[in-house]
Amino acid sequence: MRKLGIFLLAMSVAMGVVSCKKADDIRKPYEVTCIKDIVIESKFITDKDYKCPFNVILPADYETSGKRYPVLYLLHGMNNDNHAWQTKGDVVNLTKKAVDAGVIAPFIIVCPNAYLSFYVDDLEWPELLDQPVLKFESFFTKELQPYIESHFPVLTDKGHTAVAGLSMGGYGASYYAFKYPEKYCFCASFSGAVSGGDWTGLTDRVPSVEDIFNAKGYTKSDFLRLPEYVMDCGSEDMICSLFNEITHDFLVSIDFPHTYRVYPGVHDWDYWQPAYERMLPELAEHFGK
């Protein structure tokens, strides 16, 4: 019997039936930790009722792994806040699923609360909205980002920093990407209000993507240093589809390389969750797999 057992084991090895993987080789499910409602002292945000808190979603072992991670700044839309991408967008589970599938390597996500600032400085809304005038752009670029880079293990170079968002946040992502191209390698706008203030009459404070390109004087010689740009909008989106079409046509007219996607859907989370998933393989070209 012993000889038979040895023979069967030898045959199993020869046929590749026996697995020799060590326990350490078996990948554990990816887990994250979320630090919520961080508030930092700011010289730009001084209203006691509007402190611009932000959430940070990190690999669970970020304190012990000894690694530094790429970072995605993920921006919310109007009438949402720093929790929206987690509570409505299911971003934690979508990210864990993608990492477990080998679509993208672990990365850090930062979700700020910009209220109705449109991610710019000094935007004044009509009194009926009861919104303070915030210097959110200055806060984001001069305080929040440096805080993230000094308090969390993020890679701080352009090649590992990205920005994305939906609706108002899709505008904010586009605004930051093209106004500060030295900071970002990638930008994605989901149903973004990329026409800026055209639909609100606030054009002086909220320039469109076309306005930004013209103000910066970008030409073809500049395009290689600008972030990779993805626009994704629902075909039945009655709020932002026209803005996306107009912006896409402008970018085509100047031969700026970009990705423009239109899928069936409207201006809601049922569209934005899949849009986030569609983005991850493209983001992985910068962040790694």
Side-chain angles (χ1 to χ4, degrees):
M1 290 295 292
R2 183 182 178 190
K3 289 182 178 179
L4 177 61
I6 294 173
F7 172 76
L8 291 175
L9 176 62
M11 288 298 293
S12 296
V13 172
M15 295 172 64
V17 175
V18 175
S19 173
C20 296
K21 279 189 176 181
K22 298 178 181 178
D24 291 344
D25 295 333
I26 300 173
R27 181 185 295 176
K28 297 178 181 178
Y30 179 60
E31 296 295 338
V32 304
T33 185
C34 303
I35 305 176
K36 300 178 181 180
D37 294 316
I38 302 171
V39 173
I40 60 177
E41 187 174 344
S42 171
K43 65 181 180 181
F44 298 109
I45 304 299
T46 56
D47 191 304
K48 64 181 179 64
D49 295 321
Y50 295 86
K51 290 295 187 181
C52 296
F54 53 93
N55 295 0
V56 183
I57 303 169
L58 307 113
D61 63 348
Y62 77 98
E63 290 183 300
T64 59
S65 69
K67 298 178 182 178
R68 302 189 78 81
Y69 301 91
V71 58
L72 170 67
Y73 293 91
L74 189 58
L75 312 182
H76 67 78
M78 289 183 71
N79 302 315
N80 279 298
D81 58 23
N82 49 304
H83 300 288
W85 270 106
Q86 290 173 255
T87 58
K88 300 176 183 178
D90 200 28
V91 70
V92 168
N93 287 326
L94 295 179
T95 302
K96 288 167 63 174
K97 174 184 166 185
V99 173
D100 283 337
V103 172
I104 192 168
F107 60 99
I108 291 172
I109 302 172
V110 180
C111 298
N113 188 348
Y115 304 99
L116 293 183
S117 69
F118 249 83
Y119 298 92
V120 301
D121 278 350
D122 300 324
L123 180 63
E124 272 193 84
W125 285 94
E127 290 182 6
L128 60 92
L129 289 177
D130 190 29
Q131 286 288 306
V133 177
L134 301 174
K135 290 187 176 295
F136 189 84
E137 179 183 347
S138 293
F139 167 73
F140 185 89
T141 58
K142 298 177 182 179
E143 295 178 334
L144 188 151
Q145 285 185 302
Y147 180 90
I148 294 296
E149 293 175 356
S150 63
H151 286 73
F152 296 100
V154 300
L155 294 163
T156 60
D157 62 294
K158 170 189 173 87
H160 293 95
T161 306
V163 62
L166 66 90
S167 194
M168 181 184 79
Y171 171 79
S174 306
Y175 177 69
Y176 290 155
F178 294 126
K179 186 170 181 180
Y180 305 101
E182 70 282 358
K183 285 291 297 182
Y184 306 102
C185 62
F186 179 89
C187 172
S189 167
F190 313 128
S191 311
V194 287
S195 67
D198 285 354
W199 63 287
T200 63
L202 302 168
T203 52
D204 58 329
R205 293 292 181 186
V206 190
S208 66
V209 168
E210 181 175 354
D211 291 336
I212 297 167
F213 268 69
N214 291 335
K216 299 287 278 188
Y218 290 142
T219 64
K220 287 185 180 180
S221 63
D222 299 304
F223 290 171
L224 286 177
R225 68 181 179 87
L226 300 184
E228 179 182 353
Y229 190 46
V230 173
M231 300 168 62
D232 192 323
C233 190
S235 56
E236 289 82 43
D237 187 328
M238 301 304 292
I239 298 175
C240 286
S241 60
L242 180 60
F243 304 150
N244 281 260
E245 290 175 20
I246 291 171
T247 301
H248 166 63
D249 289 344
F250 163 70
L251 295 176
V252 169
S253 74
I254 62 172
D255 293 325
F256 179 71
H258 64 289
T259 299
Y260 178 52
R261 287 195 284 262
V262 178
Y263 285 86
V266 296
H267 203 77
D268 64 11
W269 287 103
D270 287 338
Y271 190 86
W272 299 323
Q273 287 186 19
Y276 176 82
E277 289 187 286
R278 286 191 288 270
M279 173 200 73
L280 292 176
E282 295 159 322
L283 185 60
E285 294 300 314
H286 303 275
F287 283 9
K289 298 182 180 180

